[in-house]
Amino acid sequence: MAKHDHTHEHTAPPSDPALRVKALESLLLEKGVIDAEALDEIIDTYENKTGPRNGAAVVARAWVDPDYKKRLLEDGTGAIAEMGFSGIQGEDMLVVENTAEVHNMVVCTLCSCYPWPTLGLPPVWYKAAPYRSRAVSDPRGVLAEFGVEIADDTEVRVWDSNAELRYLVLPVRPEGTDGMSEDELAAMVTRDSMIGTGVIQAPK
Amino acid sequence: MNGVHDLGGMHGMGPIDPEANEPVFHDEWERRVFGVVIATFGGGNYDVDQFRHAIELMGAANYLSTSYYEHWLHMVETLMVENGTITRDELDAEQAKLAKEAA
């Protein structure tokens, strides 16, 4: 094998990620850079305590309370914090409303920006090349892959997230839900409907 | 900087293939990477711009053929070595030790 300068990029295949993270974690623990308990708490918070149920509660509140909805559209971050949801990757939120005229969907073409406090951690497809490359060039084709068809006369608006601003879609409240409670409504709200890759079906 | 991470509009990346009822993490090592990254990021060891820059410096082939948490792992290894918290030699030695223990 030819001799080479040993800099950042290894030319040999890297060892498997499980081994690499174990080595890194054990060195950082040993040096006191990270704390084992804090690490477990971080994982538990994002695996078990944060997720799209948070965003669904925000959506349901907006559907039943016009004043809240107004605040949510004017100051997303503040109105979401009223419901108790805030923190990293949710510092600056813009809520965009779906209507009969406009369907919004959210992508992060550059990486993986996503509103963690309201939706939890993003699914693999959101962070992967196929969605990121095509959401901006062929949004209707992408929506079709999710089984979503948007009427030709409805504008499809794609929002490209970044490190400074994250988006949450306020989906259309389905027909036939007039008598439903806020909790019942929240239970209907899907993660994908708040990314804009899903719509909420009317109850049968 | 233009680079492979700037995926908007690129062709030929294949179907989206969403997974039904996807778990938050697919493997224990993903869980550990997430924890180590959030703990070191939260501890002020680097900022969000360094975070992204380190991932954007990955080679194009490597970037496209590795998963999201492998990008994170590459990032946190790179930055913790660059800021002098650990050395590449320490990391290599620890990996070799763990590999030997597991063998």
Side-chain angles (χ1 to χ4, degrees), chain A residues 6-10 14-15 17-28 30-31 33-34 36 39-40 42-43 46-47 88-89 109-113 116 121-125 127-134 136-137 142 145-146 162-164 191, chain B residues 5-10 13-19 22 24-26 29 31-36 38-41 45 48 52 55-59 62-64 68-70 72-74 76-78 80 82 85-86 88 90-92 94-95 98-99:
Chain A
H6 196 84
T7 54
H8 289 329
E9 290 283 341
H10 289 234
S15 55
L19 188 78
R20 282 165 60 200
V21 70
K22 211 167 174 186
L24 180 65
E25 184 178 350
S26 101
L27 282 174
L28 294 176
E30 195 183 298
K31 290 171 188 278
V33 177
I34 57 175
L39 206 73
D40 290 340
I42 288 166
I43 294 166
Y46 286 99
E47 185 161 25
I88 49 171
Q89 296 235 25
T109 61
L110 289 174
C111 188
S112 55
C113 294
W116 290 7
L121 300 180
V124 166
W125 59 260
K127 306 175 285 193
Y131 181 74
R132 287 166 50 198
S133 59
R134 261 188 302 124
V136 286
S137 57
V142 164
E145 275 179 63
F146 284 89
N162 58 60
E164 274 80 44
R191 177 196 69 199
Chain B
H5 63 278
D6 195 355
L7 281 165
M10 220 179 267
M13 294 296 166
I16 294 164
D17 209 13
E19 178 185 346
E22 185 179 331
V24 176
F25 298 107
H26 288 77
W29 72 264
R31 208 173 265 121
R32 302 323 296 176
V33 170
F34 179 79
V36 167
I38 298 305
T40 50
F41 177 72
N45 291 277
V48 70
R52 272 188 45 192
I55 291 175
E56 290 168 4
L57 286 179
M58 289 177 79
N62 190 18
Y63 182 91
L64 288 176
Y68 181 70
Y69 285 112
E70 286 176 278
W72 277 36
L73 180 57
H74 170 91
V76 65
E77 285 173 342
T78 305
M80 296 311 274
E82 274 180 7
T85 307
I86 53 171
R88 182 60 70 178
E90 282 178 314
L91 212 47
D92 288 346
E94 187 70 21
Q95 284 175 20
L98 291 170

Side-chain angles (χ1 to χ4, degrees), chain A residues 51-64 83 171-174 177 180-194 199-203, chain B residues 21:
Chain A
R53 291 300 99 218
N54 294 358
V58 170
V59 168
R61 175 68 53 85
W63 283 347
V64 300
M83 303 279 292
V172 174
R173 177 171 174 168
T177 57
M180 287 173 86
S181 72
E182 201 173 321
D183 284 347
E184 286 170 325
L185 290 168
M188 299 181 70
V189 179
T190 62
R191 177 196 69 199
D192 287 2
S193 74
M194 295 179 279
V199 292
I200 302 168
Q201 302 302 325
Chain B
N21 304 312

Side-chain angles (χ1 to χ4, degrees), chain A residues 31-121:
Chain A
K31 290 171 188 278
V33 177
I34 57 175
D35 172 78
E37 253 175 63
L39 206 73
D40 290 340
E41 201 179 310
I42 288 166
I43 294 166
D44 182 48
T45 298
Y46 286 99
E47 185 161 25
N48 304 313
K49 295 176 182 157
T50 313
R53 291 300 99 218
N54 294 358
V58 170
V59 168
R61 175 68 53 85
W63 283 347
V64 300
D65 180 345
D67 289 336
Y68 181 75
K69 178 176 161 182
K70 189 163 177 281
R71 289 201 298 283
L72 184 66
L73 295 174
E74 280 168 4
D75 169 21
T77 316
I80 289 166
E82 278 180 44
M83 303 279 292
F85 312 127
S86 59
I88 49 171
Q89 296 235 25
E91 295 90 343
D92 290 289
M93 293 291 303
L94 183 67
V95 178
V96 288
E97 184 186 14
N98 281 353
T99 63
E101 288 78 39
V102 179
H103 178 87
N104 296 282
M105 65 185 267
V106 181
V107 64
C108 177
T109 61
L110 289 174
C111 188
S112 55
C113 294
Y114 192 75
W116 290 7
T118 37
L119 296 186
L121 300 180

